[in-house]
Amino acid sequence: MPPESRPVSEHVARIAALLPPIVKNLRIGPLFDHVRPGLSISQILTLLAVDGAPDQRASMGELADELGVTVPTTTGLVERLVRDGLVERHEHPRDRRVVLIRLTAEGIAVVRRSTAYLAEVVESVLAKVEDAERESIARAVER
C-alpha cells in the first residue's frame, strides 16, 4: 500500500504535523529527495505553508511571516515553485495589489508525499514505543 493512502495513528499524525516547524531549523533537505528531487527544505516548507493556509491560498506577506523570512526571499522561493509547476499565482478577489499563491495538482501531490514521508519517519522512530509514551512524546513536542 502506498504511504499516502496508509492510515496513520493519531499520535503519528500529531507529531508529523509538528515536524515542519522543527525541520525548518534543520538541514534535512536531502532526505526529501525521493519526494521530489531537487526541492530544498525551504521550498517544501513553502508548499506546506500554502497547504496549511486558510482556503489553501496565501499572500507573499503571509508566507513570509509563516516561514520567518523576508518577502523578497519568499518571492524567490515562489518564483522557483511556479517555474516547477508546483504553485500558481492568482489575483486577490477584493484587492488587485495582492497576489495569492495556490498549490497546483502537482504541488498538492508533493505536499501529500511530504506529509506521508514525515509520518513514515515518525512511525519508524516510534515503532517500539508504547502508546502511553507516544502520548507523552506528542504532548511534549506540542509544548
Side-chain angles (χ1 to χ4, degrees), residues 65-118:
D65 287 346
E66 178 65 25
L67 298 170
V69 298
T70 64
V71 171
T73 298
T74 303
T75 301
L77 286 167
V78 168
E79 288 293 326
R80 287 187 293 281
L81 293 170
V82 167
R83 201 170 44 240
D84 290 344
L86 299 173
V87 298
E88 56 193 13
R89 294 181 190 87
H90 292 274
E91 270 188 21
H92 190 285
R94 292 177 302 281
D95 188 346
R96 290 186 358 213
R97 297 169 297 172
V98 176
V99 176
L100 296 174
I101 307 306
R102 289 186 182 170
L103 298 173
T104 62
E106 178 60 18
I108 291 168
V110 168
V111 166
R112 297 301 168 256
R113 287 192 304 269
S114 296
T115 54
Y117 172 71
L118 290 171

Side-chain angles (χ1 to χ4, degrees), residues 5 10 25 27 35 43-44 71 82 89 94 97 109-110:
S5 62
E10 177 187 330
N25 296 306
R27 303 274 185 238
V35 170
Q43 290 170 310
I44 290 171
V71 171
V82 167
R89 294 181 190 87
R94 292 177 302 281
R97 297 169 297 172
V110 168

Side-chain angles (χ1 to χ4, degrees), residues 9-19 135 138-139 141-142:
S9 72
E10 177 187 330
H11 296 131
V12 169
R14 286 170 52 198
I15 294 169
L18 294 167
L19 284 180
E135 176 60 29
R139 277 184 282 150
V141 172
E142 287 171 338

